[in-house]
Amino acid sequence: MTDEITRLIGSLDDESTGIAEDAKTGLMSIGGEVLPPLTAAVRSLDRYGQLSAAEVFEHLGDPAGNTYWNSHERLDQPLNLGMPWPDVVDAAGEAALIEAAQVDPHSDLSATIEWVDHADL
């Protein structure tokens, strides 16, 4: 199973959205066993693979995924959740727009925006 998990994690970065989506679904169906190797590999994935990994973390309810995604690594700045909530929202929005501008374009790239409010943390 370890080889299959490794293969699926590598496929999260595939140029084909279909293959990447199949890999994400495969990891979700395996369950919690994928969390340690996915957590170890997530920083080496391209942005699309990282976004897919975030969906796997979310699907499996993994708090380690939340720790990883609580920063803006391309900007080398942490997201300070101790600030007043309107400031957190502004900082997160600004960082997300800057990060989105750095995504390598693919012909089949799509984006999803999800609002997170203070109650989600």
Side-chain angles (χ1 to χ4, degrees):
M1 183 61 79
T2 302
D3 290 339
E4 177 66 2
I5 292 171
T6 301
R7 184 189 70 75
L8 290 170
I9 291 171
S11 294
L12 292 174
D13 274 338
D14 199 277
E15 289 280 326
S16 165
T17 302
I19 291 172
E21 288 293 315
D22 288 347
K24 179 178 68 177
T25 302
L27 290 167
M28 289 175 176
S29 70
I30 292 171
E33 182 181 346
V34 307
L35 294 174
L38 184 58
T39 301
V42 71
R43 292 191 188 276
S44 68
L45 296 171
D46 290 336
R47 295 308 275 172
Y48 187 82
Q50 290 179 358
L51 292 172
S52 296
E55 291 182 50
V56 174
F57 287 133
E58 182 179 347
H59 177 80
L60 297 175
D62 177 58
N66 290 331
T67 300
Y68 173 74
W69 295 106
N70 192 18
S71 69
H72 301 290
E73 66 192 35
R74 284 202 174 185
L75 303 178
D76 196 25
Q77 70 183 53
L79 181 59
N80 180 357
L81 297 177
M83 296 187 298
W85 186 245
D87 295 337
V88 172
V89 172
D90 289 343
E94 180 180 328
L97 290 173
I98 293 169
E99 288 183 22
Q102 298 178 30
V103 173
D104 295 326
H106 294 276
S107 61
D108 58 354
L109 182 66
S110 63
T112 302
I113 297 174
E114 179 181 349
W115 178 255
V116 177
D117 67 19
H118 197 258
D120 293 326
L121 301 177

